[in-house]
Amino acid sequence: MTETPGLDVAGLGRWLVSAHPELAGGDLTASVIAGGRSNLTYAVEGARIPLVLRRPPLGHVLSSAHDMRREHRVISALAGTAVPVPTAVDVVDDTEAHEITGTTFFVMERAPGRVLAHTSQNRLYTAAGLRRLSIDLVRHLADLHAVEPDAVGLGDFGRPDGYLARQLSTWRRQFDASRSRETPALDALQAGLTEGMPQSRRAAVVHGDYRLDNALVIGSGDDPRISAVLDWEMATLGDPFVDLGIFALYWDIADLPGGAEGAVPSAVDPDAGYPTFDELVDVYAEQAGIRVPDLRWYRAFAAYKLAVILEGIHFRFQAGDTVGDGFDRMGALVEPLAQKGLQVH
């Protein structure tokens, strides 16, 4: 392996020459893109166009999580729809050859733009621009939920019937696989979510982790726009209001006690021009042409899911299987997140 953790850059170069000679250029270089807390993402330079490679995390990988083929498939399917996504290049099973990552990975073209993850970045835009960007983001979510799965080849992408019960069961298994300490609030939230589970009213393509810092932003001043929505590893067919629940959680994440603003940074700041989440729900409802139901269960489930994800990251950090900075702070957020879920449920 090279000095880039989890990626043999020379092997990637050989594969690119063989599989996609139209993209091959000179010698490749790669660097880990900071900010991701789950799959590893690398910026690849030296090809004819800038590329991005995605692979599962090192070490402890949970069953059914980090599915690279799934992420590649949904990005490919959504190309040409109203939902902006990066252009997919290829997906590769490297579990036997061990020449590049030693696991399944996929490559896509690098979409233009920046990730907004810190309030300091808001100075690049006017208050009107940030409001317009927020509305753009939630309208894209409604557009995603309006995509007809069969029309884009995703009719078998998931099983909408019983989706919420299966989701809760799946994340319970993920939690059990990452247990390394006592988490009483998270245990209580898990038990509470089995009560009052809503009846899903419709099925749609669900992103699974929809938030501002999973999008790339172009433009400046009064006219920022979304160039691409990223991180589709948890996409499936299911209840679209799960996406609104996670969107709500991240929109207000800075209000979470326990230092969330340092461990899970967010650019969202009402004083800078961002609308409230309730306003975004109204925009979503208008764009989708529906009435949005009570979201309390969905918001509690979002807190539970993020807490389980962070507990898994804490598990990998303790084992020394994380790459980059900030992982040491993830574990401290788990119980505050669970408490938040208990409050909104």
Side-chain angles (χ1 to χ4, degrees):
M1 299 294 286
T2 68
E3 294 180 0
T4 306
L7 174 64
D8 186 322
V9 180
L12 177 64
R14 291 190 296 271
W15 169 81
L16 197 63
V17 169
S18 174
H20 295 278
E22 75 282 2
L23 296 179
D27 293 338
L28 301 182
T29 61
S31 58
V32 177
I33 296 177
R37 301 299 182 200
S38 186
N39 288 335
L40 285 170
T41 306
Y42 306 84
V44 179
E45 306 286 353
R48 294 189 183 276
I49 58 174
L51 299 173
V52 166
L53 183 145
R54 295 262 287 169
R55 61 148 291 163
L58 306 178
H60 178 67
V61 177
L62 299 174
S63 173
S64 80
H66 316 293
D67 189 337
M68 296 294 95
R69 290 190 179 279
R70 190 172 197 83
E71 192 166 0
H72 176 268
R73 181 183 175 189
V74 70
I75 289 173
S76 300
L78 291 174
T81 70
V83 184
V85 291
T87 299
V89 173
D90 208 343
V91 61
V92 180
D93 184 351
D94 191 39
T95 54
E96 294 184 2
H98 298 284
E99 293 182 349
I100 304 167
T101 64
T103 184
T104 302
F105 67 90
F106 82 91
V107 178
M108 58 187 173
E109 296 181 12
R110 195 185 318 162
R114 62 174 63 90
V115 172
L116 295 190
H118 302 278
T119 54
S120 61
Q121 295 171 292
N122 293 332
R123 67 180 186 276
L124 301 171
Y125 312 98
T126 65
L130 290 172
R131 181 177 181 82
R132 188 175 298 113
L133 177 68
S134 305
I135 290 172
D136 193 31
L137 182 64
V138 77
R139 283 176 174 164
H140 284 316
L141 182 60
D143 290 339
L144 170 66
H145 295 159
V147 170
E148 175 53 51
D150 288 329
V152 296
L154 293 176
D156 62 346
F157 195 55
R159 292 181 294 135
D161 291 343
Y163 168 75
L164 294 180
R166 283 198 312 278
Q167 278 283 295
L168 191 56
S169 178
T170 295
W171 287 98
R172 184 184 297 115
R173 290 196 301 272
Q174 310 288 39
F175 180 28
D176 288 342
S178 299
R179 285 184 183 273
S180 62
R181 56 182 180 161
E182 295 295 321
T183 53
L186 188 52
D187 288 330
L189 178 58
Q190 178 177 268
L193 284 169
T194 61
E195 304 172 6
M197 183 181 297
Q199 183 71 35
S200 295
R201 305 181 185 185
R202 53 192 285 253
V205 180
V206 175
H207 180 279
D209 198 21
Y210 201 83
R211 60 187 200 260
L212 176 61
D213 59 321
N214 268 344
L216 289 173
V217 179
I218 57 175
S220 59
D222 284 330
D223 192 32
R225 301 177 306 283
I226 305 296
S227 68
V229 178
L230 308 174
D231 290 1
W232 294 84
E233 64 187 88
M234 289 189 283
T236 189
L237 299 186
D239 188 328
F241 300 124
V242 165
D243 274 343
L244 277 176
I246 200 74
F247 194 19
L249 176 68
Y250 278 104
W251 201 254
D252 298 326
I253 197 74
D255 297 333
L256 188 73
E261 68 281 359
V264 187
S266 172
V268 177
D269 178 5
D271 292 338
Y274 290 93
T276 66
F277 180 73
D278 287 343
E279 291 177 90
L280 294 182
V281 170
D282 291 341
V283 172
Y284 176 93
E286 181 180 4
Q287 182 81 357
I290 62 168
R291 180 179 176 275
V292 175
D294 189 324
L295 294 174
R296 282 180 296 177
W297 188 93
Y298 296 98
R299 296 182 74 157
F301 176 67
Y304 172 72
K305 187 166 73 169
L306 180 57
V308 171
I309 291 170
L310 296 185
E311 189 65 14
I313 292 170
H314 173 74
F315 187 102
R316 294 198 299 274
F317 171 74
Q318 296 285 75
D321 289 329
T322 53
V323 176
D325 298 324
F327 294 100
D328 57 323
R329 300 193 297 270
M330 298 298 111
L333 275 181
V334 170
E335 287 291 274
L337 269 169
Q339 292 287 357
K340 176 70 172 179
L342 290 168
Q343 290 169 10
V344 300
H345 184 241

